[in-house]
Amino acid sequence: MPRTVIIDLSSHREILWAAEETAGAIRADQLIVASGAYERSVPFPGWTLPGVMTAGGAQRLIKTLQVRPGRRALITGTGPLLLVVANQLRAVGTEVVAVLEAGRHPRWPQFLVKARGEWGLLKDAFEYWRGLRRAGIPLRFNHTVFEAHGASAVEAVTYGPVDPATWTPIRSQAEQVEVDLLVVGFGLVPNVELTTLGGCDHRYALELGGWVPERDACMETSIPGLFAVGDGAGIRGAAVASLEGRVAGITAAEHAGLLPRAEADRRRAPFLARLESLLRVRAVLDGMSRIRPGLSELATPGTIVCRCEEVALGEVQMALAAGARDLQAVKLLTRLGMGPCQGRNCAPAMRSYLSHATGRTAAEVGRINPRPPVKPVRLGALARMTRAMPADDPFQATIREALS
Amino acid sequence: MTRASEIVVVGGGVIGCAVAYYAAKRGLRVTLIDQPRRGRATSASAGGLWPLGESIGLGCGVIFYKAQLEQGKVAEAGGPSQLPRAFLDFALQSKALFPTLAGELRETGGLDIELERTSLLFVMYDEADEAFARPLWQNCPCGRSLTEWVTPEELGRTEPAVTRAARGALRFNGDDQLNPYRLADAFRASARTLGAKLLPHTEVRNICVAKGRVIAVETAAQRIPCDAMVNAAGAWAPEIGRMAGIDIPVLPVRGQIVATETLPEVLSACISTTDCYLAQKRHGEIIIGSTTEETGFDVGVTPRALKALTAGAIRAIPFLEQVNVKRAWAGLRPGTPDELPILGPVEGVASYYNACGHFRTGILNAPLTGVLLSELLSGAPLSFPLEPFLLSRFGAHRDTGASRVGRAR
Ligand SMILES: Cc1cc2nc3c(=O)[nH]c(=O)nc-3n(C[C@H](O)[C@H](O)[C@H](O)COP(=O)(O)OP(=O)(O)OC[C@H]3O[C@@H](n4cnc5c(N)ncnc54)[C@H](O)[C@@H]3O)c2cc1C
Ligand SMILES: Cc1cc2nc3c(=O)[nH]c(=O)nc-3n(C[C@H](O)[C@H](O)[C@H](O)COP(=O)(O)OP(=O)(O)OC[C@H]3O[C@@H](n4cnc5c(N)ncnc54)[C@H](O)[C@@H]3O)c2cc1C
């Protein structure tokens, strides 16, 4: 069902879908959620200025819209995506003054031992790095943005080193550079709204990007028949995502009685083995760009932290002073996260901030509970809801063919 | 009655917060204990203050009645049930407290409860609606002074967003609205300023009764000795009651509700129809409520309710068709068999007090509930007679089975 979004998932595996003109419900016996991730926002003074954009936003401009996002760019954040974007920007003629990686320089020997057998995963990263080298773009580790300046758009950026262990900005060594584009990429946050609404148990795993559903080896969540795979179950990249999808698909078919147990085991085995090998390498990569608490110190009281409701950090500090100790309480006092994005953008950063400020764990600081609809839908579409599928169901036949 | 010095309030919804506020204002030492549960009513509420509308069955009442009628569960022509005079008087008196209260809470707690004068319009679509509304207008228990018959032309002028297909409306002046979470927050913050102790995220696990009186309330971490305790645990009041050996006939009644994205100001009044009610809040979203369902503690939203509420909203305000839904959610009203709250002392367990069962109108009735409880706790004369609201009206209250909600008449 293209151009169709899922807006709710109930704990008995009933999904509510919506399209432009109509909506409907489907009760599934086996349901696989592969909802992907969204980009993590890190608020700092000036981050809402035009000319400051996310890595994904810059990629979309270049790839889909074929637009050059700026003349002179600084790239900041963490993770290999920064290198990818640097090369893409250079290819469309943008001057990249530097890439600031908040994480530390990789310790290659230790790293290469762990990566044994999974060169593929690293080859691309090496290529990108080589590209950067050739173009003379400096890659500065343990550095990050402090502030973006400009009247109506970004004109200059202050940046500097961070403490290697905590990523706390070292402001005394700040530098400034004139740019008209600041690309920010602090990694991804799993999109767990559907698994949360579906009643699955979740745990907080910083190295996987935040809250993730609990799963068994075959990707089944705590709700029988409900599977979660890919970035939506923890940020581990495209290769892992597609393997997890295969394992979940085979297992769902087994549960549905389409594959005997032994056959399912036989089909799953190679994918599970490959996953295990990949995850060893990922663990190292993830450790390097795991987000650190010092980033919380970038925002000042005047910095907007919730863009939808225009809540500034100062208001969150007032809520803390009034006794708020978790995200839910801050939400009720400030409207943080009450806008259309439901806290998707502000909650991860504010979770770090609150846990930094109160000394409580991220898990204790809690979450902003998602509510349906998790994607935009018009009242008109809901009012025209039907029980039927929009077209004839082409899935059943295809699935049987694929499995035979 | 002697003045109780240490008071524990169990449950920090709007009712518990109101009790804590008024008790602290009287100089009593109060501890407010709350463990947020999914579906707690106050954060789900629409924030309508509709003493007239609610007491004659508008708001959720008429929606529920129509749904029952369609399912053949009630006989034709009765109309939604009207609540007894005592309810209306209670609600009117509580409503009258708001203007002063708003100022007090702003001063003491620093929070604005976003109280707005809106009036409530019952928008009529057909003869049946008119037949229902006309006698309400002619014999309104509050007298004619607060109601007003609005012609289609007048309706088009004052509420241009409302459908032209409407046959006019019945207006209730004095039925207004506010921001319900702000009300609870403001009560809580003000209570704190006045010296109340707050134990958020703390579950009450046990109530110690000795020689027929409550002597302490226990959480996982501590035992809090007290001279009196108030059960303000909303839909969970029976759980707390049982800890003190008291059977409380409160049942969770789910209400599903939808909010639109932020819109420019398009509604000046709150709207009630036979399909739904609509209220535009200070921040611009329009709240569309609500269902009345006995589905236990399930707080999911259902496709059926989303369809009914959105279709009903579009029927009333056609341009909403093109508007995005921001959020849909459900809350659990603390329902009682006669739809009246359960307030005050219980025979046989001294120093235990109820402040629960506020069903559809806990926001509206929070101030007077708080006032009455604070008077009971400090032994002051009561501002409103308590008899219609005592638990004893249901007869035996120890070890009876909980009865169904709202169908006792
Ligand atoms: C900006 C960006 C750049 C990246 N660059 C690289 C790269 O260069 N190399 C690399 O290896 N990896 C890269 N990745 C990571 C890679 O894209 C992911 O690891 C991989 O796509 C994960 O696959 P997935 O199927 O789990 O999620 P996705 O590919 O994200 O797919 C999730 C899908 O679910 C849809 N969806 C979500 N919610 C709903 C809903 N409620 N209703 C309907 N549909 C919904 C989304 O629209 C999306 O189509 C990048 C990721 C991002 C965000
Ligand atoms: C959809 C909907 C719309 C509504 N609209 C309106 C309206 O427009 N106007 C109006 O006046 N009313 C309205 N109501 C009704 C109103 O919301 C309720 O009557 C009112 O909020 C009840 O408040 P409460 O404090 O009794 O319950 P709650 O708000 O549910 O508070 C009870 C608290 O006790 C806590 N608790 C439970 N067990 C324990 C324990 N063991 N230990 C510690 N804490 C515990 C709960 O977690 C909760 O925080 C609406 C209700 C719903 C659901």
Side-chain angles (χ1 to χ4, degrees):
Chain A
M1 289 160 64
R3 265 176 281 156
T4 304
V5 291
I6 305 306
I7 57 174
D8 191 15
L9 168 57
S10 76
S11 52
H12 29 273
R13 293 188 308 270
E14 184 175 58
I15 58 168
L16 194 56
W17 58 266
E20 185 78 9
E21 290 296 322
T22 180
I26 303 171
R27 178 76 148 267
D29 293 325
Q30 309 296 324
L31 181 65
I32 300 173
V33 176
S35 50
Y38 45 90
E39 291 181 274
R40 177 190 302 276
S41 300
V42 170
F44 52 86
W47 73 297
T48 55
L49 279 173
V52 179
M53 62 180 73
T54 64
Q59 285 195 317
R60 262 191 304 282
L61 282 183
I62 298 168
K63 284 205 255 178
T64 332
L65 304 173
Q66 320 251 306
V67 174
R68 191 181 75 176
R71 281 179 299 103
R72 207 172 127 82
L74 180 67
I75 301 177
T76 186
T78 188
L81 184 57
L82 301 184
L83 308 184
V84 180
V85 177
N87 281 285
Q88 287 169 329
L89 280 173
R90 200 175 52 90
V92 295
T94 298
E95 180 197 350
V96 179
V97 296
V99 175
L100 309 179
E101 162 63 62
R104 62 173 162 74
H105 194 291
R107 300 200 182 105
W108 292 113
Q110 170 205 349
F111 190 54
L112 295 180
V113 173
K114 296 251 170 87
R116 203 177 45 225
E118 290 295 349
W119 299 113
L121 202 63
L122 297 178
K123 222 179 75 211
D124 291 351
F126 273 127
E127 285 302 320
Y128 288 124
W129 195 359
R130 191 136 17 94
L132 226 62
R133 275 267 170 96
R134 250 187 253 124
I137 300 173
L139 171 57
R140 305 185 65 176
F141 290 95
N142 289 140
H143 272 67
T144 205
V145 60
F146 292 173
E147 180 167 0
H149 313 271
S152 56
V154 61
E155 291 161 13
V157 173
T158 302
Y159 67 95
V162 296
D163 178 278
T166 61
W167 295 4
T168 303
I170 303 172
R171 295 189 193 272
S172 58
Q173 296 175 39
E175 297 170 51
Q176 216 183 64
V177 59
E178 277 181 24
V179 290
D180 65 347
L181 174 64
L182 174 64
V183 175
V184 187
F186 279 102
L188 304 176
V189 180
N191 177 1
V192 294
E193 291 166 349
L194 289 175
T195 46
T196 304
L197 288 168
C200 306
D201 293 338
H202 287 69
R203 69 191 164 96
Y204 188 79
L206 186 57
E207 69 286 1
L208 297 179
W211 289 93
V212 293
E214 302 266 19
R215 298 178 299 169
D216 67 11
C218 294
M219 314 302 152
E220 195 169 6
T221 66
S222 61
I223 303 284
L226 206 168
F227 299 79
V229 297
D231 280 2
I235 309 301
R236 291 186 179 109
V240 171
S242 75
L243 287 167
E244 290 188 348
R246 289 182 164 93
V247 171
I250 294 166
T251 311
E254 179 195 347
H255 286 191
L258 297 169
L259 278 182
R261 173 77 193 268
E263 176 62 14
D265 278 341
R266 196 186 62 75
R267 291 190 186 204
R268 264 188 305 252
F271 301 133
L272 288 173
R274 185 69 216 295
L275 263 176
E276 199 180 319
S277 158
L278 269 176
L279 290 180
R280 256 200 330 267
V281 189
R282 288 291 316 188
V284 183
L285 281 174
D286 296 340
M288 285 194 308
S289 48
R290 191 186 75 222
I291 218 83
R292 309 287 163 99
L295 290 181
S296 300
E297 293 179 20
L298 291 174
T300 59
T303 308
I304 295 290
V305 291
C306 165
R307 294 177 89 147
C308 304
E309 296 288 330
E310 301 196 337
V311 178
L313 182 67
E315 295 171 66
V316 174
Q317 291 168 333
M318 266 155 60
L320 278 171
R325 282 290 171 272
D326 57 38
L327 275 174
Q328 198 63 30
V330 169
K331 169 180 162 179
L332 292 177
L333 285 173
T334 63
R335 293 186 65 86
L336 176 109
M338 281 201 187
C341 94
Q342 300 208 20
R344 219 165 280 149
N345 290 312
C346 58
M350 283 304 101
R351 178 173 305 120
S352 316
Y353 180 82
L354 292 186
S355 103
H356 199 53
T358 62
R360 306 175 78 213
T361 65
E364 285 168 339
V365 167
R367 325 168 50 174
I368 292 181
N369 290 328
R371 305 267 187 230
V374 298
K375 296 272 176 182
V377 58
R378 296 223 180 105
L379 268 86
L382 289 180
R384 281 189 290 269
M385 191 180 302
T386 67
R387 272 268 152 192
M389 299 270 271
D392 283 318
D393 174 3
F395 294 117
Q396 205 64 25
T398 341
I399 291 172
R400 277 181 200 285
E401 271 163 38
L403 290 170
S404 63
Chain B
M1 174 183 291
T2 54
R3 190 182 164 90
S5 44
E6 289 289 344
I7 290 147
V8 172
V9 179
V10 183
V14 72
I15 298 297
C17 291
V19 171
Y21 169 71
Y22 284 104
K25 202 175 147 192
R26 281 186 172 267
L28 300 172
R29 282 209 293 274
V30 187
T31 305
L32 176 65
I33 309 180
D34 183 63
Q35 171 68 32
R37 297 271 174 93
R38 272 179 70 90
R40 53 197 194 277
T42 302
S43 26
S45 159
L49 305 176
W50 306 330
L52 294 174
E54 292 284 359
S55 64
I56 57 177
L58 295 184
C60 292
V62 65
I63 304 164
F64 180 61
Y65 171 73
K66 193 182 146 200
Q68 293 255 303
L69 204 62
E70 278 163 8
Q71 291 164 30
K73 288 192 188 148
V74 289
E76 187 70 50
S81 50
Q82 298 200 11
L83 291 173
R85 181 78 210 193
F87 176 87
L88 176 62
D89 291 339
F90 189 101
L92 283 170
Q93 193 168 324
S94 192
K95 170 70 185 11
L97 295 172
F98 277 99
T100 325
L101 179 63
E104 259 173 54
L105 293 178
R106 196 177 306 111
E107 218 147 88
T108 320
L111 285 174
D112 176 12
I113 60 174
E114 298 174 9
L115 182 64
E116 287 175 71
R117 283 200 164 219
T118 53
S119 79
L120 175 69
L121 282 173
F122 175 66
V123 171
M124 301 171 295
Y125 294 129
D126 53 27
E127 258 165 55
D129 289 352
E130 265 191 65
F132 164 62
R134 201 164 285 280
L136 291 180
W137 177 51
Q138 279 156 354
N139 328 308
C140 183
C142 57
R144 279 281 185 92
S145 60
L146 293 174
T147 59
E148 193 185 322
W149 193 264
V150 182
T151 65
E153 296 71 38
E154 285 164 348
L155 184 62
R157 230 180 3 259
T158 55
E159 299 292 346
V162 169
T163 176
R164 288 297 133 94
R167 293 189 165 207
L170 181 57
R171 187 189 294 279
F172 298 88
N173 288 309
D175 280 9
D176 297 325
Q177 70 162 340
L178 51 58
N179 176 335
Y181 346 112
R182 278 305 194 83
L183 177 62
D185 284 346
F187 273 136
R188 189 186 307 109
S190 303
R192 194 161 170 256
T193 309
L194 296 174
K197 220 162 76 195
L198 309 184
L199 294 180
H201 297 278
T202 306
E203 187 177 34
V204 168
R205 297 272 177 85
N206 189 32
I207 291 170
C208 310
V209 181
K211 297 195 189 120
R213 61 184 303 124
V214 175
I215 54 163
V217 171
E218 288 179 347
T219 69
Q222 56 180 323
R223 177 190 160 99
I224 304 157
C226 62
D227 304 306
M229 69 141 294
V230 178
N231 181 354
W236 299 268
E239 225 176 279
I240 300 298
R242 259 191 308 277
M243 294 175 193
I246 298 164
D247 189 32
I248 297 175
V250 163
L251 277 186
V253 180
R254 181 169 72 181
Q256 299 186 48
I257 196 160
V258 173
T260 68
E261 62 188 307
T262 302
L263 298 169
E265 197 186 321
V266 290
L267 285 182
S268 55
C270 298
I271 308 280
S272 172
T273 75
T274 52
D275 307 312
C276 66
Y277 60 79
L278 301 110
Q280 185 166 28
K281 309 308 286 187
R282 174 78 62 86
H283 288 269
E285 63 268 32
I286 294 180
I287 304 267
I288 304 159
S290 175
T291 61
T292 301
E293 307 159 86
E294 284 178 38
T295 43
F297 286 90
D298 181 350
V299 288
V301 298
T302 63
R304 176 199 285 273
L306 289 182
K307 182 181 165 100
L309 292 173
T310 51
I314 293 168
R315 185 179 181 201
I317 304 186
F319 90 90
L320 289 181
E321 194 197 340
Q322 296 300 321
V323 161
N324 275 343
V325 174
K326 183 165 88 175
R327 218 85 98 218
W329 66 87
L332 302 171
R333 305 180 189 88
T336 62
D338 56 6
E339 302 189 11
L340 300 186
I342 305 176
L343 307 177
V346 175
E347 218 174 294
V349 188
S351 65
Y352 168 99
Y353 297 90
N354 281 313
C356 56
H358 287 77
F359 198 33
R360 298 177 175 128
T361 50
I363 307 298
L364 167 62
N365 288 326
L368 188 54
T369 299
V371 166
L372 276 174
L373 266 289
S374 73
E375 290 165 350
L376 281 167
L377 292 166
S378 55
L382 300 183
S383 324
F384 196 92
L386 209 53
E387 286 67 36
F389 307 107
L390 288 170
L391 177 63
S392 57
R393 71 182 184 273
F394 300 112
H397 52 261
R398 306 192 73 147
D399 307 315
T400 60
S403 34
R404 286 176 68 78
V405 170
R407 242 69 78 224
R409 282 176 309 276

